[in-house]
Amino acid sequence: MGSTTLRRRPGASRAARAVSTILAALAVAAVTVIGHEAPAQAVTSLTTRQLQQDLWGLLYYAGPIDGVNGSGTKAAVKAFQKDNCLGQDGVAGPATQPKVIAKVKAVQAKAATTADGIYGPVTTSRVKAYQKAHGIPTGGQAGPQTMRAMGITPVLSCAPKPPTGGSTVGGTILRTEVLARAKYWTDQRVPYSMNRYTGDPHGRQYRTDCSGFVSMAWHLSSSLSTVTLPRVSHRITKSELRPGDVLLKGGPGSAGASGHVVLFRGWANSAHTSYYASEESGSHGAIARTVPYPYFSGYGTFLPYRYNKIAG
């Protein structure tokens, strides 16, 4: 009697594979239904779509999750940046993305779900459950009310800390305090204006132009101009420059936009061809930056001056 060879029918093989696929899909669905996210590695950067998901979950974004970096996404990024003491440029770069991810992870940890930094459907479901348990409106988004209940600070305090210093108005002042007072404005990027005034660390008002900035840093009794700053300071040489001194295009004939003054914070190189400066400068506002000595070309003659009452 010959041997019998059993042949598998092609249709049966295809049917078996289809059944396997369906069972696998049902298994994934079952995992999702009972509220467990599939194991995922925490992200360290975000695609635009993921960024939109996260900002939606944190109640900053209300547009479509379409992966398009449009005006709505940029506005949401700016709003998040404002609440988290970041530069408000609307770009989710290396300073912003980690903050977004960290905030989402903090929410996920409190909602008892996988802290992977992506505000997905399961995170939304878990946040809804948390909200229901704590008597919070159950939208699934972690807005300020939900975050406060979770012990997460939704909005950081971004006001710069007033510098410490013992100077009095118009009195002797240490160089360290001059630099700290200048930083108080540059940290806020106080907008430039020849007509407006804003407060120093203690609320005293100074004009927000270049000479008003130096008047504030030196803690003068009023906002002098580039014409009158030489009345409270004296000429020094380049080699004598120290932090807290200034480079001035001033004196008679420098009124209005004709003059300019820059606070010197130290040399930027050993050749003394550039220096660290702080100034009120047009569209830049109050800014700290590196400047070529004595100043950018084309702006006239700048000379070093020292405040008469500076010490240290």
Side-chain angles (χ1 to χ4, degrees):
M1 186 174 186
S3 62
T4 302
T5 302
L6 297 177
R7 295 184 178 179
R8 180 176 296 174
R9 290 178 298 169
S13 177
R14 285 195 296 272
R17 287 198 296 272
V19 170
S20 296
T21 301
I22 292 170
L23 290 174
L26 288 173
V28 172
V31 167
T32 302
V33 167
I34 63 174
H36 294 286
E37 292 179 313
Q41 184 175 358
V43 296
T44 56
S45 62
L46 301 168
T47 65
T48 300
R49 184 178 295 274
Q50 290 170 334
L51 175 68
Q52 291 171 332
Q53 284 180 274
D54 281 4
L55 293 174
W56 176 89
L58 298 175
L59 212 58
Y60 287 97
Y61 180 66
I65 309 298
D66 56 8
V68 177
N69 189 28
S71 58
T73 302
K74 291 175 182 176
V77 170
K78 279 187 177 182
F80 179 88
Q81 289 170 328
K82 181 180 179 181
D83 285 351
N84 289 271
C85 305
L86 298 165
Q88 298 167 45
D89 57 5
V91 177
T96 300
Q97 285 204 16
K99 297 282 188 181
V100 174
I101 293 168
K103 188 82 65 150
V104 170
K105 284 183 177 180
V107 169
Q108 290 172 324
K110 293 293 184 178
T113 189
T114 305
D116 60 4
I118 302 297
Y119 210 109
V122 175
T123 299
T124 302
S125 176
R126 288 300 183 90
V127 169
K128 281 183 179 180
Y130 181 94
Q131 290 168 330
K132 183 176 181 180
H134 290 78
I136 302 168
T138 56
Q141 292 168 283
Q145 185 179 1
T146 300
M147 284 196 211
R148 281 192 289 268
M150 291 177 164
I152 300 169
T153 303
V155 179
L156 302 182
S157 175
C158 306
K161 295 180 180 179
T164 57
S167 68
T168 57
V169 176
T172 300
I173 186 169
L174 294 176
R175 295 179 183 276
T176 52
E177 187 182 350
V178 169
L179 299 184
R181 288 175 63 85
K183 188 175 185 295
Y184 184 71
W185 273 22
T186 58
D187 280 352
Q188 299 177 75
R189 295 297 287 268
V190 171
Y192 178 94
S193 173
M194 296 176 68
N195 303 304
R196 296 179 181 175
Y197 287 71
T198 197
D200 73 353
H202 308 290
R204 188 177 185 84
Q205 299 291 300
Y206 289 90
R207 194 176 58 248
T208 58
D209 60 8
C210 63
S211 51
F213 174 76
V214 169
S215 299
M216 184 277 298
W218 283 352
H219 208 174
L220 302 183
S221 59
S222 63
S223 299
L224 299 186
S225 69
T226 51
V227 175
T228 55
L229 277 174
R231 297 177 187 173
V232 298
S233 60
H234 58 276
R235 281 282 309 277
I236 58 174
T237 65
K238 176 182 178 180
S239 62
E240 291 176 309
L241 272 168
R242 295 181 61 193
D245 296 333
V246 298
L247 275 299
L248 172 67
K249 176 190 174 186
S254 69
S258 299
H260 192 56
V261 63
V262 185
L263 187 74
F264 178 87
R265 292 187 291 115
W267 294 109
N269 59 20
S270 58
H272 292 185
T273 57
S274 62
Y275 60 99
Y276 301 115
S278 294
E279 58 181 321
E280 272 284 1
S281 178
S283 60
H284 298 292
I287 187 172
R289 59 180 174 176
T290 302
V291 171
Y293 185 86
Y295 199 64
F296 298 103
S297 63
Y299 285 85
T301 302
F302 283 74
L303 299 171
Y305 277 77
R306 175 169 294 162
Y307 178 42
N308 293 336
K309 296 182 180 180
I310 200 166

